[in-house]
Amino acid sequence: MKYFQFSPRSPAHSRVHAMLLRLLVSLLAWCAVAVSARAGESAWYPFEVNEDALSGVVDFGGMNHALEAGDRLYVKGNHFFRLGHDVKPGTRDDSRVRLFGVSLANAANFPEEKDAVKIAQRLRRLGFNAVRLHHLDTVLSDSQEQPRGILTTAAFPSFNEAALLRLRVFINALKAEGLYVNLNLHVGYQFRPAVDQVTPMTPGEQMPFASHPLHLFEPRMISLQAEYVQQLLRRLELKDDPALAMIEINNESSLLGAWQRTQLDSLTGEYERQLQQNWQKWVLRQYGGAEQACAIWDSCSLPRKGIINVKSSEANVLEYGEGWFARMQRLASRVMTRLGYATPSALQQQYRPHKEGNGRRVLDYVRYLSDMDMQYLTVMRKTIRQELGDLVPLTGTQMYFGGIAMADAQQQMDYVDEHFYVDHYDFPNKPWDRNDWRIRDESVLRDGWQALLQRAYVRDLRKPFVISEFNQAYPNRQSAEILPVMSAFAAAQDWDGLFLFHYIDGDHWSSVPDSFGLSGHSGQLVTTGIASALFRQYQIRPLPEKVAINLPVETRQLLGAMRDGVSGTGFPGYLQSQYGLEYKHAFFSRLGMLHDMQAKSTVTPKPGAHYAKPGMEEDTLWTAPGGQLRYNQSGPWLFADTAYTRMFAGTRSGLSVNLDVDKTLPMFSEKGRQYGVMLLTSRDAQPLKNSRRLLLVLSGATAASQPGVIPQRPKQLVNYDSQKAWWTLEPDATTSNKPSGALDGNAPVWLERIPVKLFHATSSKKITVFPLDGSGVHMKALPHTAIRQKNGGFELDFDYPSPWYEIVLE
């Protein structure tokens, strides 16, 4: 197709011609998309959410109020509570709070004042009541006009005054809109030995990202971090500020986790020596001397430099034992793993205690690393408490970075934190190359389902539980499901906080899809309000039965030493073999740990099906107690039915569904790919069966536009390097030498069309359905031909270019 060119003679002509050009391009785009849609394929339509003008039924800001002294949060029992009007903890006017939040990263934490108010109002209307301030310390910025980080290039910690001012103004704006703050401390700062006067690296080596895990045991780094924390809290004037909901001390890093990932094995020079010296001191305190320890370990000689660090590979002794028979087992394990069979250790492991020998030495090293982690967190905790008092909830790091053994290192922390991702980007060549990446195009309901349910395993039932990062990012075609699915499952488990990663990570408040960004991701944006209400308003009742597993300290240490999942013999394998507890139990019961922090002899429970649920052997359909949640593996799909909201997410063939048999489930047309997210909620504070004003959301895949193409069209998902299991975006014309299109998209934004038939049960005699535009404003009502009155309600046909609808009943 040739390009059209206009030669306007005046500004007025220019505006007219520009308008005509936009109309023509839009018309061509609609035609191109309509022609491209065939049976079983996705059709697309342009749709951008106007985040600054949301109104009517799509505005969920009414759930928030400006935060005051009585809204300050603290931990009571195992949940977060407000202080109440008397501003005293533990009194009758306290009320529970769940946090539904979103992260901001890097420069997004420092908006200009006019943008600070705008962003806070956006997030309130979308249904959020919390913001996670992430990566404050990663980018060093000296600019006072446009700061991109809280720190300058001077010696750590040197603060950017403009960034501090902007952040304080932003916190005030968030507080005015009813949004709490989750403050992250050490996230990305990378110590510079020459500038910060910390221990130098071995010549030829570079400081690792964020100094992981050196910052956890190098004395001067710890001292400087304590100074940073003290100054940051003072300069932001956060003492007694009701906006401060919680603090994360250290993002995604622990010594135990680093050892499990073999990162400590590669330490050299002075850092290796420091870790070894600390290990020797620990052994001295525990055993009184190296000779006594070696007598118990029965496996270590004493070289001139003393007791050496334990390599992570030595944990094999816990699975296979010692001697020639153990070596044969390890060989057989490697062979069977390559052939795709279960390993001998996974079949035979008895999780026996190791009171002596090299197994005891490995377990002692795990105890040592755990103690070192706890020492670091204790320093930070004391610093924070001195500045802020005892109420602000604290956590150390995410449980995934160390596993269940992290419960010991974090026993003085107030809540448990975890991360969860579906289909995270993979970079085959260069890390974070935005034009060379791939995904699996997975679904949380299929590929991520087991991992999501297993997150319940790491919950400590004595404390609040938070997922501070989760996403199923662009351009994953199932990404619209992640917010409602997480809200439904977290509510059933009675968790306390969810934070999507992230809203935006720069200082350009664009409205196009960009990797993890929510802003501009229309398919996710239209689901946030209902997902938030589902979680924050306790619409799904917590599962009635609670399953509490009491793990003694020896078991936690053993699982930590076995690296929590290597060869299937870690924590999930332990729960299955010792308790008969499988991941699917988390769909039927609230799961969690009750950790005994005192050492005692290990009691091995008998394997069995003590926690088996009726009907769990049926793999097709799971129904949670109370009937509010249903999950079908064959779709897969998840359905939630509450008094105020109904949710469906997943794949369901429309050809085999009769709405007269199960009227609550959608029937997808064969024209589409028979996938979608359906959310229906009351917007007049009445239960669904009585509501006269409802919001319906129909969402699927989101796409940006392929740049430089006329007519405009959605950017296509294609196989990465002809690999059928991997996907990426088609390359841009400007980077055709690279395998992937950029992760930051181009306008306009496109949504997948969801052709579907729904039934709404009601005694009303008249129903009107209004498609809504990007601001939530009524467009022309659906025609009468799309609405059929049937016994007990109305059958509705949807095949319209809008993801959300207001339903009015009379």
Side-chain angles (χ1 to χ4, degrees), residues 243-504:
L244 183 59
M246 59 200 357
I247 292 178
E248 296 175 32
I249 293 174
N250 179 42
N251 183 68
E252 295 188 347
S253 180
S254 75
L255 281 171
L256 179 55
W259 180 78
Q260 292 171 344
R261 290 167 167 77
T262 73
Q263 292 173 303
L264 296 187
D265 295 353
S266 58
L267 285 183
T268 60
E270 188 62 21
Y271 285 100
E272 181 187 26
R273 191 184 69 83
Q274 285 184 11
L275 195 66
Q276 183 175 321
Q277 281 186 340
N278 290 333
W279 168 224
Q280 291 172 350
K281 292 177 182 177
W282 188 92
V283 170
L284 180 63
R285 290 193 300 270
Q286 295 294 319
Y287 291 102
E291 292 78 8
Q292 293 91 323
C294 283
I296 293 175
W297 297 340
D298 193 28
S299 58
C300 71
S301 57
L302 284 174
R304 187 182 312 169
K305 60 182 180 179
I307 297 176
I308 60 176
N309 292 314
V310 177
K311 301 294 185 182
S312 60
S313 59
E314 296 183 60
N316 288 331
V317 70
L318 300 172
E319 299 185 51
Y320 303 102
E322 305 184 53
W324 69 270
F325 183 73
R327 289 194 291 273
M328 294 297 294
Q329 274 197 309
R330 286 196 291 272
L331 177 61
S333 173
R334 286 194 291 268
V335 172
M336 293 183 72
T337 299
R338 289 176 181 176
L339 294 175
Y341 296 101
T343 66
S345 62
L347 296 172
Q348 300 172 8
Q349 177 57 240
Q350 299 300 312
Y351 301 97
R352 60 183 177 85
H354 292 257
K355 298 298 185 182
E356 57 186 19
N358 200 39
R360 181 73 257 167
R361 175 171 168 265
V362 173
L363 290 174
D364 280 341
Y365 198 71
V366 166
R367 289 174 58 202
Y368 154 67
L369 294 176
S370 180
D371 285 351
M372 291 290 290
D373 281 325
M374 184 165 64
Q375 287 178 31
Y376 167 81
L377 294 175
T378 297
V379 171
M380 298 304 144
R381 175 179 172 272
K382 288 182 177 179
T383 303
I384 296 169
R385 292 291 182 231
Q386 287 171 359
E387 296 300 318
L388 301 180
D390 295 331
L391 288 185
V392 176
L394 308 179
T395 197
T397 196
Q398 289 68 42
M399 290 293 288
Y400 180 72
F401 292 83
I404 198 65
M406 285 301 295
D408 298 279
Q410 302 197 96
Q411 57 185 275
Q412 294 181 325
M413 296 294 104
D414 302 301
Y415 70 97
V416 176
D417 190 24
E418 182 64 311
H419 290 171
F420 174 71
Y421 285 93
V422 179
D423 206 18
H424 197 289
Y425 303 114
D426 178 75
F427 299 91
N429 298 302
K430 179 183 176 183
W432 296 105
D433 187 334
R434 296 177 76 83
N435 291 101
D436 186 3
W437 55 271
R438 59 189 185 179
I439 59 173
R440 296 281 191 183
D441 196 34
E442 296 174 335
S443 167
V444 66
L445 296 170
R446 181 182 62 246
D447 316 276
W449 189 238
Q450 179 172 339
L452 172 59
L453 269 58
Q454 285 178 339
R455 285 305 188 274
Y457 289 172
V458 300
R459 180 186 183 185
D460 186 335
L461 290 171
R462 304 167 306 162
K463 301 178 180 181
F465 186 68
V466 175
I467 303 287
S468 67
E469 284 187 22
F470 71 94
N471 208 334
Q472 187 173 332
Y474 165 81
N476 180 291
R477 292 186 303 158
Q478 291 70 237
S479 56
E481 69 194 11
I482 190 65
L483 279 161
V485 168
M486 289 293 290
S487 291
F489 180 68
Q493 283 293 322
D494 203 16
W495 293 348
D496 299 279
L498 296 172
F499 289 81
L500 182 73
F501 186 84
H502 55 230
Y503 181 68
I504 202 167

Side-chain angles (χ1 to χ4, degrees), residues 36-171:
S36 69
R38 298 189 296 271
E41 293 185 357
S42 297
W44 300 87
Y45 62 95
F47 191 91
E48 296 182 5
V49 175
N50 187 344
E51 300 175 54
D52 292 317
L54 296 183
S55 61
V57 292
V58 302
D59 179 0
F60 284 80
M63 290 190 290
N64 289 12
H65 64 266
L67 301 180
E68 300 175 347
D71 294 302
R72 189 176 173 192
L73 297 189
Y74 77 105
V75 173
K76 181 168 73 171
N78 57 354
H79 297 299
F80 298 126
F81 280 78
R82 293 186 181 93
L83 289 177
H85 293 297
D86 64 3
V87 199
K88 295 179 180 179
T91 56
R92 296 180 63 181
D93 69 342
D94 300 352
S95 58
R96 189 178 165 193
V97 177
R98 278 183 179 163
L99 299 174
F100 188 81
V102 66
S103 290
L104 293 172
N106 298 309
N109 294 291
F110 316 106
E112 297 181 40
E113 185 171 358
K114 61 181 179 63
D115 288 331
V117 174
K118 178 172 69 174
I119 300 308
Q121 291 175 346
R122 280 186 184 182
L123 298 179
R124 174 176 181 164
R125 284 190 288 262
L126 289 170
F128 295 106
N129 68 335
V131 170
R132 181 171 179 254
L133 304 177
H134 192 56
H135 279 295
L136 296 173
D137 63 335
T138 302
V139 177
L140 303 183
S141 177
D142 294 321
S143 172
Q144 298 295 298
E145 290 74 31
Q146 198 169 25
R148 285 179 158 77
I150 202 78
L151 297 168
T152 70
T153 56
F156 180 86
S158 297
F159 290 91
N160 184 307
E161 297 299 333
L164 284 169
L165 177 59
R166 285 192 178 194
L167 182 55
R168 181 63 257 188
V169 170
F170 190 26
I171 292 173

Side-chain angles (χ1 to χ4, degrees), residues 543-561:
L543 294 168
E545 183 183 15
K546 183 184 293 185
V547 174
I549 305 297
N550 193 331
L551 293 183
V553 63
E554 294 92 341
T555 301
R556 294 195 298 273
Q557 292 166 3
L558 179 64
L559 293 171

Side-chain angles (χ1 to χ4, degrees), residues 565-689:
V566 177
S567 304
T569 60
F571 190 34
Y574 173 83
L575 293 179
Q576 184 172 4
S577 67
Q578 306 301 91
Y579 291 89
L581 193 63
E582 300 182 29
Y583 79 92
K584 63 177 66 176
H585 287 90
F587 193 79
F588 299 89
S589 302
R590 281 179 285 158
L591 293 183
M593 303 296 118
L594 284 177
H595 297 298
D596 188 339
M597 291 302 170
Q598 302 299 318
K600 64 179 183 180
S601 59
T602 302
V603 177
T604 304
K606 294 181 180 179
H610 178 66
Y611 297 114
K613 299 295 173 187
M616 278 191 58
E617 67 280 356
E618 179 65 48
D619 286 337
T620 302
L621 182 66
W622 306 355
T623 301
Q628 287 191 301
L629 291 182
R630 282 186 282 166
Y631 172 73
N632 192 304
Q633 283 187 310
S634 64
W637 51 259
L638 179 68
F639 182 74
D641 193 4
T642 80
Y644 293 89
T645 299
R646 188 172 297 139
M647 181 202 87
F648 175 93
T651 302
R652 191 164 192 261
S653 171
L655 304 180
S656 61
V657 176
N658 185 342
L659 284 181
D660 292 327
V661 175
D662 193 342
K663 295 182 178 182
T664 59
L665 298 177
M667 182 167 67
F668 293 108
S669 166
E670 61 180 346
K671 290 193 300 182
R673 60 187 179 109
Q674 298 177 14
Y675 170 88
V677 174
M678 180 202 76
L679 299 165
L680 179 69
T681 194
S682 168
R683 296 301 283 145
D684 58 5
Q686 296 296 315
L688 277 178
K689 62 181 181 180

